[in-house]
Amino acid sequence: MLSNRQLLVLQVIIDEFIETAQPIGSRAISKKQSVSFSPATIRNDMADLEEMGFIEKTHSSSGRVPSEKGYRFYVDHLLLPVHLSDRDQRTISNLFDQDLVEFEQVVQKSAHVLSDLTNYTSIILGPEVYETTLKQLQIIHLSETTALAILVTNTGHVEHRSFTVPEKIKATDLEKLVNILNERLIGVPIVHLHKQLQKELTSVLDRYVDNVETAFDYLKSALLDQHPNNIYYGGVTNIMLQPEFNDVEKVHSLYSLMEKNDLIANVLRTTGEGIHISIGQENKIDEMQDCSLITATYSLAGQQLGTIALLGPKRMEYSRVISLINVLSNQMTRTFNDW
Amino acid sequence: MLSNRQLLVLQVIIDEFIETAQPIGSRAISKKQSVSFSPATIRNDMADLEEMGFIEKTHSSSGRVPSEKGYRFYVDHLLLPVHLSDRDQRTISNLFDQDLVEFEQVVQKSAHVLSDLTNYTSIILGPEVYETTLKQLQIIHLSETTALAILVTNTGHVEHRSFTVPEKIKATDLEKLVNILNERLIGVPIVHLHKQLQKELTSVLDRYVDNVETAFDYLKSALLDQHPNNIYYGGVTNIMLQPEFNDVEKVHSLYSLMEKNDLIANVLRTTGEGIHISIGQENKIDEMQDCSLITATYSLAGQQLGTIALLGPKRMEYSRVISLINVLSNQMTRTFNDW
DNA sequence: ATTAGCACTCGAAAAGAGTGAGTGCTAACA
DNA sequence: TGTTAGCACTCACTCTTTTCGAGTGCTAAT
């Protein structure tokens, strides 16, 4: 069990390291306002803390830096809830005072605010089309052999894909199909589209369309296949402002990771509801082992829509960032539910 | 005027520097197959070339590196047309063998191929909506107060924007307006939409719609304002593989630049037709002064659609890159015109 | 006109010296 | 018994110094 003084020492070390990115020595700790012990006393506590794995030395006679276990303890037990600064609060309320009408817009602007305020990189996932319902389906013929399928959801999200129309499908068949689909499918959650189609409509369609199967397959693949991961990054250059990324190798590895959208999407999609923090090795992705990732979900009518996340060095301003991301994701959820 | 031997020496220096990124000494040049002179002779020529500003020393007793004037001369006069390697040719024909039906797709995949083959960063602009014609216009009401405007062009490009519908506009008015617009405007170049609207339709609309001006204004701003710059980057991490960007500062400045889309769009939009090369200080953008930018345009029916570009260090594999970008932009133009 | 020879330059890498911030340990102290 | 002062020790950093070698310019010989 940690003594009160040890808790204090650990707190000071981490706070200080988060600010300066430099190892902290016993003398520096002893000089802090909140600490009234001599360096020698502090050194004893530091030795204990190191033995327990909360802090580390960079070399045998250096000051201490937090270990990942230290950060985890800090996040779990030492984090004092902070009130946001005036500037932070103003920036956020400015954002939500504009009347934004598109989901994507809200989410993207939130991400930008988040990365601007923190100097870390924001990542957002969603809003997931899967969670929304069909508003309208449309086919537009661009030429004899190509057509454009447009799908609009109730959240104002637009998906479109163009495809080659094979010769055996008549243009009129496609149109009929779309009309019928629109009659029957508006309001159906996108995620159920496929099942719904198969179950209820095949027989009905037979009457109207000559070549149901093929037309249907084409439409399906045009609309539902290769669903793009709805991933968006904000403030990607911020990473380079952090001293731990003063090495092109590291930046390169992280940026390459950001090109693998499906990997990141997977991680963000599988975080539970609310705020989650993973520190260093806790991250499943190799390239993130030197980073911390803070995620928060936003939702509509209790239904989880997507995730907003912040990627930075392990030496993150946890307390401030958590407050920010908390306020933002709540505001997002509120805004969506107001519509 | 440069002697033949001086031309040879300059060529060897630049070729070698492009490959190794190291200063080249007289001994190294003399050892080349194509050179049959002693180091001392080479040194005399090098001194001359330096006096004329084609090459530089990094310090008083170092080998030589090309100056920007040197690169310019190389590009203008020493570039031997290269035949593409098998691999390059195969990659490109693979790309165009797939049946791609969307403009964006072709352009983006081309950019990716370009950056993958060269290890530089590709930038593409367009296809410009301005150059295309209206295929269909549509308004979808999402709720009482919000609506989504979707604009489809003949090239399969989809633009959409959602907006707040003010109370004084009736939903039916908007629909009427859209119907009329569709009747009259399909086939009109997007760039003329505005003029066309004002000139021909105001009187007609008066008959049908109660509140033309307001409805029209809203629609216009939803569709035509804040036209996003259609900029796309490929292989952005490649830059970090180049030794001249082994410094986070430089990478940061270049990446920050890439977030300023309008600046880049402007540069790409104002390059003339065909292939253009700007080297170092020839670039108008400050952050690019250490880079070379190679641009090529692609077009449809003689109408310039957009630009495809490659950004890399001044020490670029000019001959290969130019061949590649040439073949690619021609293939793109051909593909578009085939549709 | 070309080349060999030679003294010279200068960056890069290696080796050494000094500095200081930090430690652990021991003994003294309240 | 918990805290502190004192002290020897460690080790990264910085600053010089040295060495090394690739490269140069110049001059004289071919």
Side-chain angles (χ1 to χ4, degrees):
Chain A
M1 209 34 226
L2 291 174
S3 74
N4 278 343
R5 197 177 57 211
Q6 286 171 336
L7 289 176
L8 178 64
V9 169
L10 182 56
Q11 169 117 43
V12 169
I13 289 177
I14 301 190
D15 281 342
E16 202 71 8
F17 186 72
I18 285 176
E19 195 176 325
T20 65
Q22 296 296 324
I24 324 296
S26 55
R27 203 177 113 91
I29 298 175
S30 156
K31 272 187 178 164
K32 285 245 105 182
Q33 293 292 334
S34 51
V35 178
S36 53
F37 302 94
S38 76
T41 311
I42 308 290
R43 278 204 288 283
N44 286 326
D45 286 338
M46 287 168 97
D48 293 342
L49 286 170
E50 185 174 9
E51 221 161 63
M52 291 183 273
F54 292 115
I55 55 180
E56 293 167 347
K57 287 190 267 197
T58 59
H59 60 87
S60 75
S61 71
S62 78
R64 305 307 212 289
V65 299
S67 69
E68 288 186 11
K69 187 176 170 190
Y71 283 122
R72 174 46 66 192
F73 187 89
Y74 177 84
V75 165
D76 289 343
H77 302 110
L78 296 177
L79 226 48
L80 346 146
V82 195
H83 51 288
L84 293 179
S85 73
D86 273 8
R87 178 168 161 268
D88 292 353
Q89 282 188 319
R90 238 181 303 116
T91 314
I92 293 180
S93 48
N94 276 348
L95 169 65
F96 287 95
D97 281 353
Q98 302 168 44
D99 72 341
L100 304 168
V101 292
E102 221 167 319
F103 270 63
E104 262 91 354
Q105 240 179 5
V106 174
V107 180
Q108 287 192 12
K109 294 219 168 177
S110 301
H112 262 284
V113 162
L114 198 53
S115 53
D116 283 355
L117 289 180
T118 59
N119 269 331
Y120 306 129
T121 295
S122 59
I123 313 176
I124 61 179
L125 172 70
E128 283 289 2
V129 159
Y130 300 110
E131 310 289 339
T132 58
T133 64
L134 182 67
K135 184 82 193 180
Q136 180 144 14
L137 203 59
Q138 198 176 9
I139 302 280
I140 296 174
H141 283 271
L142 294 174
S143 73
E144 289 289 301
T145 53
T146 58
L148 183 68
I150 301 180
L151 176 155
V152 182
T153 72
N154 64 326
T155 58
H157 179 79
V158 177
E159 287 274 323
H160 61 96
R161 197 126 331 127
S162 55
F163 58 100
T164 316
V165 183
E167 289 178 17
K168 54 182 168 180
I169 298 184
K170 294 181 201 155
T172 52
D173 284 355
L174 259 184
E175 270 163 39
K176 274 191 220 163
L177 182 58
V178 171
N179 284 338
I180 295 167
L181 292 182
N182 266 322
E183 275 169 34
R184 303 279 182 139
L185 293 181
I186 287 177
V188 171
I190 303 294
V191 68
H192 293 144
L193 261 189
H194 188 186
K195 220 183 341 177
Q196 196 87 349
L197 273 166
Q198 295 286 32
K199 202 163 59 184
E200 296 185 23
L201 291 178
T202 321
S203 61
V204 183
L205 290 175
D206 272 334
R207 284 181 236 152
Y208 303 95
V209 184
D210 288 343
N211 206 332
V212 179
E213 279 307 322
T214 330
F216 173 66
D217 282 351
Y218 266 82
L219 202 58
K220 205 177 62 184
S221 71
L223 288 176
L224 301 177
D225 278 4
Q226 315 168 291
H227 205 9
N229 280 314
N230 214 349
I231 282 259
Y232 177 86
Y233 298 93
V236 288
T237 57
N238 286 349
I239 279 286
M240 291 187 259
L241 300 174
Q242 305 295 338
E244 26 274 278
F245 287 89
N246 215 332
D247 169 22
V248 178
E249 278 300 305
K250 287 189 189 143
V251 178
H252 185 248
S253 114
L254 209 57
Y255 273 55
S256 303
L257 171 65
M258 291 195 220
E259 290 187 335
K260 299 174 195 156
N261 279 344
D262 41 348
L263 208 62
I264 308 248
N266 224 26
V267 170
L268 294 195
R269 198 174 288 125
T270 52
T271 61
E273 212 186 315
I275 295 191
H276 282 266
I277 303 176
S278 35
I279 299 166
Q281 314 247 18
E282 294 171 14
N283 285 296
K284 287 191 190 124
I285 299 180
D286 279 354
E287 289 91 334
M288 282 195 190
Q289 309 263 311
D290 286 332
C291 300
S292 279
L293 183 72
I294 305 197
T295 61
T297 54
Y298 58 90
S299 47
L300 174 64
Q303 190 60 285
Q304 189 174 316
L305 273 188
T307 308
I308 179 165
L310 205 54
L311 180 66
K314 287 186 289 192
R315 182 186 62 79
M316 228 192 211
E317 283 184 84
Y318 291 100
S319 59
R320 177 157 164 268
V321 164
I322 289 172
S323 302
L324 275 172
I325 211 167
N326 197 15
V327 169
L328 262 174
S329 64
N330 285 341
Q331 277 276 21
M332 284 166 68
T333 297
R334 199 172 314 144
T335 305
F336 294 155
N337 284 306
D338 279 356
W339 290 352
Chain B
M1 208 36 223
L2 291 174
S3 74
N4 278 343
R5 198 177 56 211
Q6 286 171 336
L7 289 176
L8 178 64
V9 169
L10 182 55
Q11 171 117 42
V12 169
I13 290 178
I14 300 189
D15 280 342
E16 203 70 8
F17 186 73
I18 284 176
E19 195 177 321
T20 65
Q22 297 295 326
I24 325 296
S26 54
R27 200 177 115 91
I29 298 175
S30 157
K31 271 189 180 164
K32 285 245 107 185
Q33 292 290 335
S34 51
V35 179
S36 54
F37 302 94
S38 75
T41 311
I42 308 290
R43 277 204 289 282
N44 287 326
D45 286 339
M46 287 167 95
D48 292 343
L49 286 169
E50 184 174 11
E51 222 161 61
M52 290 183 273
F54 293 115
I55 55 179
E56 292 167 348
K57 288 190 265 197
T58 60
H59 60 88
S60 76
S61 71
S62 79
R64 304 306 212 288
V65 297
S67 69
E68 289 186 10
K69 186 176 170 190
Y71 283 122
R72 173 47 64 194
F73 187 88
Y74 176 84
V75 164
D76 289 343
H77 302 111
L78 296 176
L79 225 48
L80 346 147
V82 195
H83 50 291
L84 291 180
S85 74
D86 274 10
R87 177 167 162 270
D88 291 353
Q89 281 189 320
R90 238 181 301 117
T91 314
I92 293 180
S93 48
N94 277 348
L95 169 65
F96 286 95
D97 281 354
Q98 303 167 43
D99 72 342
L100 304 167
V101 291
E102 221 167 319
F103 270 64
E104 262 91 353
Q105 240 179 5
V106 174
V107 180
Q108 288 192 10
K109 294 219 168 176
S110 303
H112 262 284
V113 163
L114 198 54
S115 53
D116 283 355
L117 289 180
T118 58
N119 268 333
Y120 306 129
T121 295
S122 59
I123 313 176
I124 60 179
L125 173 69
E128 284 288 1
V129 157
Y130 300 110
E131 310 290 338
T132 57
T133 64
L134 182 66
K135 184 81 191 178
Q136 181 144 14
L137 202 60
Q138 198 176 9
I139 301 282
I140 296 174
H141 283 270
L142 295 173
S143 72
E144 289 289 304
T145 53
T146 59
L148 183 67
I150 301 180
L151 176 155
V152 181
T153 71
N154 64 328
T155 59
H157 179 80
V158 178
E159 287 274 322
H160 60 97
R161 198 126 334 124
S162 55
F163 56 102
T164 315
V165 182
E167 288 177 20
K168 53 182 167 179
I169 298 184
K170 294 182 201 155
T172 52
D173 284 354
L174 259 184
E175 270 163 39
K176 273 191 221 165
L177 183 58
V178 171
N179 284 339
I180 296 167
L181 292 182
N182 266 322
E183 275 169 35
R184 304 278 182 139
L185 293 182
I186 287 176
V188 171
I190 302 294
V191 68
H192 294 142
L193 261 190
H194 188 187
K195 222 184 338 178
Q196 196 86 349
L197 273 165
Q198 295 285 30
K199 201 163 60 187
E200 294 185 24
L201 292 178
T202 321
S203 60
V204 184
L205 290 175
D206 273 335
R207 282 183 237 153
Y208 302 95
V209 184
D210 288 344
N211 206 331
V212 179
E213 280 306 323
T214 330
F216 173 67
D217 282 352
Y218 266 83
L219 202 56
K220 206 179 60 184
S221 72
L223 289 176
L224 303 177
D225 278 4
Q226 315 170 294
H227 206 9
N229 279 315
N230 216 350
I231 282 259
Y232 178 86
Y233 297 93
V236 288
T237 58
N238 286 349
I239 279 287
M240 291 187 259
L241 300 174
Q242 305 295 339
E244 27 273 278
F245 288 90
N246 214 332
D247 169 21
V248 178
E249 278 299 307
K250 288 192 187 136
V251 177
H252 185 248
S253 114
L254 209 57
Y255 273 55
S256 303
L257 171 65
M258 291 195 220
E259 290 187 335
K260 298 174 197 158
N261 279 345
D262 41 347
L263 208 60
I264 308 246
N266 224 26
V267 170
L268 294 195
R269 197 174 288 125
T270 53
T271 62
E273 214 186 315
I275 295 192
H276 282 266
I277 303 177
S278 37
I279 299 166
Q281 313 248 18
E282 294 171 13
N283 286 296
K284 288 191 190 123
I285 299 181
D286 278 354
E287 288 91 334
M288 283 195 189
Q289 309 262 312
D290 286 331
C291 301
S292 278
L293 183 72
I294 305 198
T295 60
T297 53
Y298 57 92
S299 46
L300 174 64
Q303 188 61 283
Q304 189 174 316
L305 273 189
T307 308
I308 179 164
L310 205 54
L311 180 67
K314 287 185 291 192
R315 183 185 61 80
M316 229 191 210
E317 282 185 86
Y318 291 100
S319 59
R320 177 155 165 271
V321 164
I322 290 172
S323 301
L324 276 172
I325 210 167
N326 197 14
V327 169
L328 263 174
S329 64
N330 285 341
Q331 277 277 21
M332 284 167 66
T333 297
R334 198 172 315 143
T335 305
F336 294 156
N337 285 305
D338 280 355
W339 291 352

